[in-house]
Every structure is written in structure tokens, then in C-alpha cells.
Amino acid sequence: MKPVSKLQLPPSPLSGCVFAAICRDTRGAALSDEDRVSYFPASPLVTLTLVRTGKLYMLPPGRDWHDVSDLSPLPRLSATPPTDVPISSWAPDDIEAISFGIYPDAWVQLGGDTGFSHIPPGLKAAVDAFDAHDDVDAGWSAFSTSLEKIWAAERWSWPAVTSISDWVRGLMVRTLTTGRGKSLRSLERRLKRFSGQSKRALDFHASFDNLHRVFYQHPKSPLAEIAVEAGYSDQSHMGRAVRRATGFSPAHLNRRIDTDEAFWCYRVLGERF
């Protein structure tokens, strides 16, 4: 039996609030210890992780799965703040886990903090609605219905977005048109208040998301052409960005996405394109 990895995309009214959810179910799958590692790229999102079956350990940078004796498994529901470095996790046995990617400005608007430690009540209620269903599709529908009611009731009219790049552009516009101060320092402060991140960090994530799109739309193109199409100055510039976001060179990353179970997240996220 093979593990199940699934991408769930939000309905349009929630697309400015929720990026997506990714579901991972390894119950009954024959996997090696190395295959039970999951690699994730750097991300500007707040990630809510619901562990329904098994134990899941977040691996600190530079650590692998061989020794987790000094680590505690994640609680059943936990929040991971935006990160500008890649992260990884390991499940020693079968696991069923769902990760919800939430845009940080929506997190704050829903009542969360910019430290991303306090889960907003509305999001918690939506996750509980998901958790009430064994079936992932039914759970996602319940999550979306629950959160959409809250989002609509408060009349938050975030524009619909289809990518992190779109979200960053919209966030920049909102930052420019909100508040009195127009100095660079004022804009940076508002951007930090909205998202917990700097303009430089958000630009990096937007560029990497665009690269992901270009690569999946033109997988056979030479890397130099992909770099130019994605907006990088050259292949070396792209290579540095990929290594920063994933920990691997573009060629190494592509090989592992094609062949390694542990890179399931990259394959699933590619389904958006």
C-alpha cells in the first residue's frame, strides 16, 4: 500500500485567507525510516498542523531523524510561524496529519498575534469541524464552510488570490494605501504588523513561488531558461535562491522530487499548476 498525499485548495471566497491544506496518510504503507521524513520549503505562511494519528517530530536545522530522543512530538494541534529556511519533520510510525497554510495577515485579522503562537478561535473552530470527519474531503468541506461563515460575517473583503505571488502583491498595495505615513520606514512597520515579515523576505517568497510555477509548467526546459522566465538575473541567482529556500541545489532538488518519497510535499504543491 502506498502513502496518500493530497492537496486541498480553498473556495474562492477563502482564497485570500487560506492558501491550501496538504494531507499526509502513511497508515499501512511500507516505508523506510528515511521515507518517513518530510521536507518542506521555506514559507511565508502560518502553518496549522493537526496530527490525527501517530507522532510527528519537527527536526531542528542540521538534525536528521536518527536521534530524536531529546525532542518532544508535536501536540495534536500546533502552529508554525513563517520561516525563511527549509524545515523537515519525521514520523517514526504510521501517521495521519493535515497542515493548513494560512496567510499571516488573515491570521492576524482573525484575532491571532504576530508571534503566531495564539490560534484564532475561528480557525480553531474550523479545524475542529474538519476533525469531526474521518474522510478528508468531507473534513475539508466542513473546514471551509465553518471558516467562510466567519470571514463573510466580519465583511473582510480580501481579494481572491491564486498564488503566494498574488498575495504578496495585494499585501503591498494594502500597505501603501493604509495609514498616514508614506516613508519607507512607515511602510515597513505596517508590512511587519500585517504579516510579521519584511518586504525583502516577502519578495523572496514571491519570487520562489513564481519559480515553482515556471518549473512545473516547463519541466523539460534548461535551468538557465527557467531562471530567466522566473525573473532571476541568471542561473546562479536562481540556484542561490533555491538553496536558501530548500537546502538543495536545483538539480539535486529536481532529482529528489522525482525519486524520493520524502519530497512528497513538493510534488503535491506542484499540483496547483
Side-chain angles (χ1 to χ4, degrees):
M1 182 176 178
K2 293 184 178 181
V4 176
S5 304
K6 192 165 188 176
L7 177 71
Q8 299 281 5
L9 297 174
S12 182
L14 282 180
S15 66
C17 174
V18 180
F19 169 73
I22 51 175
C23 309
R24 178 70 166 171
D25 189 347
T26 66
R27 291 174 295 178
L31 297 174
S32 67
D33 284 338
E34 288 190 28
D35 285 342
R36 294 185 183 278
V37 178
S38 296
Y39 291 97
F40 306 96
S43 172
L45 305 171
V46 188
T47 304
L48 272 180
T49 301
L50 173 67
V51 181
R52 299 214 285 189
T53 301
K55 294 182 179 180
L56 185 64
Y57 294 86
M58 295 304 298
L59 301 176
R63 288 278 294 275
D64 62 25
W65 57 268
H66 288 91
D67 182 15
V68 296
S69 59
D70 61 330
L71 301 178
S72 297
L74 289 180
R76 198 166 194 276
L77 182 63
S78 62
T80 301
T83 174
D84 59 2
V85 297
I87 60 176
S88 59
S89 65
W90 184 62
D93 299 299
D94 286 355
I95 191 168
E96 184 192 15
I98 302 93
S99 293
F100 305 86
I102 311 298
Y103 290 113
D105 55 334
W107 175 281
V108 172
Q109 191 68 50
L110 284 165
D113 60 325
T114 53
F116 308 111
S117 57
H118 171 67
I119 300 175
L123 275 174
K124 176 63 167 57
V127 172
D128 288 343
F130 182 105
D131 200 22
H133 298 267
D134 292 332
D135 178 76
V136 167
D137 291 335
W140 180 245
S141 178
F143 171 91
S144 300
T145 299
S146 174
L147 189 57
E148 193 171 340
K149 289 178 181 177
I150 298 168
W151 199 246
E154 297 297 336
R155 299 184 183 278
W156 295 322
S157 55
W158 262 245
V161 298
T162 59
S163 67
I164 288 174
S165 302
D166 283 349
W167 167 70
V168 170
R169 282 192 292 270
L171 185 61
M172 296 298 182
V173 170
R174 200 179 323 136
T175 301
L176 287 167
T177 56
T178 302
R180 296 181 179 180
K182 301 301 180 184
S183 68
L184 182 59
R185 181 172 296 181
S186 297
L187 296 176
E188 284 280 3
R189 279 199 300 267
R190 285 202 295 276
L191 197 59
K192 191 80 170 179
R193 187 171 70 249
F194 289 152
S195 69
Q197 296 160 87
S198 67
K199 183 179 183 301
R200 184 175 182 180
L202 291 169
D203 285 344
F204 170 79
H205 289 299
S207 296
F208 185 71
D209 182 64
N210 190 43
L211 172 62
H212 203 185
R213 175 188 61 79
V214 172
F215 172 75
Y216 273 93
Q217 290 178 348
H218 308 282
K220 302 300 183 181
S221 296
L223 290 178
E225 291 183 11
I226 290 176
V228 173
E229 176 68 20
Y232 293 97
S233 57
D234 54 32
Q235 186 174 337
S236 294
H237 183 201
M238 179 187 72
R240 291 192 297 273
V242 171
R243 188 175 291 277
R244 175 183 164 188
T246 70
F248 302 95
S249 70
H252 188 188
L253 178 66
N254 291 345
R255 285 196 300 271
R256 299 199 68 175
I257 290 174
D258 286 340
T259 61
D260 288 14
E261 181 60 39
F263 284 75
W264 63 270
C265 176
Y266 288 87
R267 292 191 291 273
V268 167
L269 289 176
E271 293 175 9
R272 294 178 295 146
F273 309 115

